[in-house]
Amino acid sequence: MYTSLTNRRSFIKKMAIMSAMTAAATMFPGIIFADEQERDLPNGGDLDWKKGPCRFCGVGCGVLIGVDKGKAVAVKGDPNSSVNKGLLCVKGYHQIMCIQAEDRLTHALVKKNGKYVQTPISEALDIVANKMKETMDTHGKDSVAMYTSGQSTIPEGYVASKLMKGAIGTNNLDCNARLCMASAVTGFLTSFGADEPMGCYEDIDHADYFITWGNNMAEMHPVLFSRMLEQKNRRGAKIIDFATRTTRSSMASNKSILFEPQTDLAVANAICYEIINNGWVNKSFVENHVNFNKGLTDMGYGLEDNYAFEDKPTPIDFEAYKDFLEDYTPEKVSKYSGVSVKDIKYLAEI
Amino acid sequence: MPIKSYLAHPQDGKKAELHAALTNLSHCEVIPAENEDLLIVVTDTNDISEDKNLKEQIESIASLKLLAMVSGFDTPKSN
Ligand code: SF4
């Protein structure tokens, strides 16, 4: 991934090819391109490779950053990382471009007379510290807060915690995870009864079927997707892409099933209808681990102005759930979901 | 000066045909996979309108099943 940068354009072109080859490899592990084309790609040269984590998403890939004269000029997946085993996704491959982006904030800016003025970092930090102190002196320690990022490293989080909780003595420390992970936790708790994703990377090595339900993993989580593909090729595990449009995930799957937007919950109900009516229910699992609640079946679109709805889930029993599913026979659902009766039955049989 | 890379999936059994059609286009480099039905396409055009035209030409090739962009860059011509 390195060149002298004398010809930035040709370097960028090679990076574009490299990204495409990587994306291809996540869909078709073992894919081969002509030797002479691969030979032409930028290599590591005599760069100093530094280890680090990719901080773009929660997959947590290990990266190696090629440094030349103190400047990050190349990036590649860390082959020793058990998470990504040398692979990176397109975001990971492009992170050095962010480091060198022209519009990147590289120095402190302080607003003076309505305008941002470049200020030495020590002076800017003094301003922050003085303002915090002033506010605390007047209004108490809970009048200040720190809002950080879910992408903070563990040492950064530790220092932030020490400062806010240990030194200042307030609990006002939060980050953007409140908006994303906290809602995921609520979803996990209400759906699965535990506040964690219902699986781990190792499960991928044992699963027989993967259904990418409304999730274009080949492009969004290509590193994890490559693990699924590995199982597909090695053990014959099957990937079924269930989505509203054809994507790279559809191309790489064993079967692609398309549905009309906003109808997949009905398809899920039709799958349950089939399972129950064919006597495939795991009774002891249902008795021990499943609660049935009935709520609104039509809560509106949700994105209109002043949207509001009220819903109180009412507990029902299995028989009532079975009756409720009469509205969701594969034949009825097929009409508006665009998923054939055959495909609904196929999904139920898995 | 856009540079873009795509993965091009051919219609069943049409890889060679797609390769030939893509090779005929100017500002377009094609790298076929040796063991899979997939081609990498890299476009290198002078401006946005040329880039748009080229993409339209590629998308109108009958042997193409799906064109998925992987990366896109805009870079000054001078360097
Ligand atoms: S999947 Fe991509 S964005 Fe996520 S950690 Fe890995 S390289 Fe980074």
Side-chain angles (χ1 to χ4, degrees):
Chain A
M1 298 272 305
Y2 177 66
T3 158
S4 66
L5 295 184
T6 47
N7 187 340
R8 185 171 135 81
R9 202 164 165 73
S10 107
F11 177 67
I12 285 175
K13 202 163 167 182
K14 285 171 184 176
M15 279 192 60
I17 297 172
M18 181 64 130
S19 308
M21 283 184 173
T22 308
T26 57
M27 292 173 63
F28 303 99
I31 193 167
I32 298 169
F33 293 93
D35 276 357
E36 69 271 18
Q37 273 148 343
E38 294 208 47
R39 251 203 308 276
D40 199 30
L41 290 173
N43 61 37
D46 48 6
L47 297 176
D48 183 14
W49 290 98
K50 305 270 189 206
K51 213 170 135 104
C54 172
R55 290 162 76 172
F56 275 143
C57 89
V59 174
C61 296
V63 295
L64 295 171
I65 304 291
V67 181
D68 181 43
K69 298 184 192 81
K71 194 174 174 188
V73 293
V75 62
K76 63 183 179 184
D78 183 352
N80 293 324
S81 161
S82 55
V83 173
N84 54 314
K85 301 172 181 169
L87 271 179
L88 289 182
C89 78
V90 171
K91 286 178 284 179
Y93 269 112
H94 288 80
Q95 49 197 314
I96 51 161
M97 298 190 124
C98 307
I99 298 176
Q100 283 146 20
E102 274 172 23
D103 55 355
R104 187 174 169 211
L105 199 57
T106 51
H107 45 251
L109 296 175
V110 172
K111 209 172 196 178
K112 291 177 185 163
N113 301 324
K115 271 199 172 150
Y116 283 110
V117 180
Q118 194 170 326
T119 311
I121 187 77
S122 56
E123 193 185 318
L125 284 174
D126 282 348
I127 296 172
V128 174
N130 288 333
K131 293 263 180 207
M132 278 180 86
K133 195 163 178 309
E134 251 174 65
T135 312
M136 285 187 293
D137 288 346
T138 323
H139 304 286
K141 58 191 181 180
D142 284 332
S143 60
V144 293
M146 183 186 276
Y147 194 67
T148 71
S149 159
Q151 307 303 104
S152 298
T153 59
I154 290 171
E156 284 163 358
Y158 179 79
V159 170
S161 233
K162 278 280 177 204
L163 171 68
M164 296 308 285
K165 297 186 177 188
I168 292 178
T170 175
N171 275 332
N172 293 347
L173 173 65
D174 212 337
C175 73
N176 62 325
R178 173 77 54 204
L179 299 175
C180 58
M181 198 55 210
S183 48
V185 162
T186 312
F188 283 136
L189 271 172
T190 48
S191 307
F192 301 113
D195 65 350
E196 284 295 324
M198 295 305 107
C200 64
Y201 290 174
E202 212 184 302
D203 287 347
I204 294 175
D205 302 342
H206 302 283
D208 298 322
Y209 279 88
F210 302 98
I211 303 178
T212 48
W213 190 300
N215 183 346
N216 175 13
M217 283 187 76
E219 286 171 275
M220 300 301 123
H221 292 286
V223 170
L224 277 192
F225 193 67
S226 70
R227 287 188 162 214
M228 285 157 48
L229 285 172
E230 195 185 334
Q231 298 306 317
K232 175 177 172 240
N233 293 349
R234 206 147 54 85
R235 295 187 296 113
K238 300 258 183 314
I239 301 177
I240 292 122
D241 185 51
F242 186 60
T244 53
R245 64 194 179 101
T246 302
T247 63
R248 268 190 238 161
S249 302
S250 330
M251 292 294 148
S253 63
N254 296 78
K255 187 171 170 67
S256 154
I257 303 174
L258 294 177
F259 63 87
E260 287 295 323
Q262 299 180 44
T263 63
D264 56 332
L265 194 52
V267 176
N269 283 336
I271 292 171
C272 293
Y273 174 93
E274 271 298 291
I275 291 174
I276 292 174
N277 283 281
N278 282 299
W280 298 331
V281 177
N282 179 341
K283 288 208 174 72
S284 79
F285 181 86
V286 169
E287 272 159 24
N288 293 321
H289 302 292
V290 183
N291 296 311
F292 293 95
N293 284 289
K294 194 169 185 311
L296 276 182
T297 47
D298 184 359
M299 53 172 263
Y301 180 46
L303 291 178
E304 311 92 347
D305 287 344
N306 307 320
Y307 172 80
F309 81 99
E310 273 185 30
D311 188 18
K312 260 210 171 126
T314 349
I316 53 169
D317 62 12
F318 182 73
E319 284 309 311
Y321 177 60
K322 203 174 151 188
D323 290 346
F324 162 80
L325 290 178
E326 285 302 322
D327 273 345
Y328 297 94
T329 62
E331 290 72 16
K332 283 183 192 167
V333 171
S334 175
K335 287 203 180 91
Y336 52 88
S337 66
V339 182
S340 70
V341 172
K342 198 170 148 223
D343 281 345
I344 293 176
K345 293 189 172 188
Y346 168 79
L347 288 168
E349 272 170 34
I350 290 174
Chain B
M1 299 297 299
I3 294 177
K4 291 186 178 163
S5 65
Y6 301 89
L7 297 182
H9 298 257
Q11 300 283 6
D12 286 351
K14 298 273 170 74
K15 186 178 168 192
E17 211 172 291
L18 179 61
H19 188 188
L22 286 166
T23 315
N24 272 338
L25 298 173
S26 45
H27 304 291
C28 192
E29 196 177 314
V30 192
I31 306 168
E34 293 191 348
N35 56 348
E36 296 287 351
D37 279 349
L38 187 79
L39 301 100
I40 288 175
V41 180
V42 183
T43 61
D44 182 354
T45 46
N46 290 309
D47 54 44
I48 292 170
S49 79
E50 206 176 284
D51 177 66
K52 204 168 151 241
N53 281 341
L54 180 56
K55 185 162 183 264
E56 278 166 13
Q57 281 182 56
I58 297 174
E59 280 174 335
S60 66
I61 299 173
S63 49
L64 176 81
K65 182 150 110 190
L66 178 81
L67 186 72
M69 191 173 104
V70 177
S71 59
F73 304 91
D74 204 3
T75 174
K77 191 169 194 172
S78 52
N79 55 3

